[in-house]
Amino acid sequence: MNTDGIKKQILLAAPRSKVWKAITNSSEFGAWFGMKLEGPFIAGQTIKGTIAPTQVDPEVAKLQEPHTGKPVEMFVDSIVPETKFCLKWHPFAIDPKVDYSKEPMTLITFTLEEQGTGTLLTITETGFDKIPISRRAEALKANDGGWAHQCILLQKYLSRG
């Protein structure tokens, strides 16, 4: 097993432009992911927001409810239109008593490729080997499961029409 990263792929029945908008428009991203973000994603800038239950799956929304209002902060590393979108964040930063700002961030990369009439989305998150050993395994496990769920949420979001 790779201890430094996660890789998920999903073939989405949507054109690349629609998938691109769903992942790079901060309000659309927040709707399926489960966040309320303040402003747009801009390369080289930090975006802040709060956890807000997903709008596409009532069961997942219930699981997110206890975290509603918790702060979220991501750094927009790079944007290559309709090809690649990269964010950095502090993985599994859920304990309000811990200051994660001194820890390294992991890099999340969304890569889009046309595949037939759909879009192959590859999500990778790397940099876990730099996370403190005391929480590394838990963060990797939580985010591995989290990205599997997020792929499904994105698929549901895109199928809403």
Side-chain angles (χ1 to χ4, degrees), residues 31-34 51-68 153:
W32 61 266
F33 194 96
I51 301 290
T54 180
Q55 297 173 21
V56 297
D57 187 310
E59 288 180 32
V60 175
K62 256 185 215 167
L63 296 171
Q64 291 173 329
E65 276 178 20
H67 303 287
T68 299
L153 292 176

Side-chain angles (χ1 to χ4, degrees), residues 48-120:
K48 295 180 181 188
T50 56
I51 301 290
T54 180
Q55 297 173 21
V56 297
D57 187 310
E59 288 180 32
V60 175
K62 256 185 215 167
L63 296 171
Q64 291 173 329
E65 276 178 20
H67 303 287
T68 299
K70 288 185 180 174
V72 173
E73 186 173 302
M74 296 180 285
F75 177 78
V76 182
D77 188 71
S78 62
I79 302 172
V80 180
E82 295 202 18
T83 305
K84 188 165 73 169
F85 177 54
C86 301
L87 300 168
K88 290 183 178 182
W89 70 359
H90 296 287
F92 198 57
I94 61 167
D95 186 343
K97 296 178 220 130
V98 175
D99 177 10
Y100 297 98
S101 66
K102 308 260 187 291
E103 289 185 9
M105 296 175 139
T106 54
L107 176 67
I108 303 154
T109 303
F110 298 87
T111 306
L112 284 67
E113 297 173 53
E114 286 181 18
Q115 192 128 86
T117 59
T119 303
L120 178 65

Side-chain angles (χ1 to χ4, degrees), residues 25-43:
N25 176 298
S26 61
S27 60
E28 288 194 36
F29 182 95
W32 61 266
F33 194 96
M35 294 180 178
K36 185 174 241 176
L37 296 167
E38 302 166 1
F41 289 126
I42 299 171

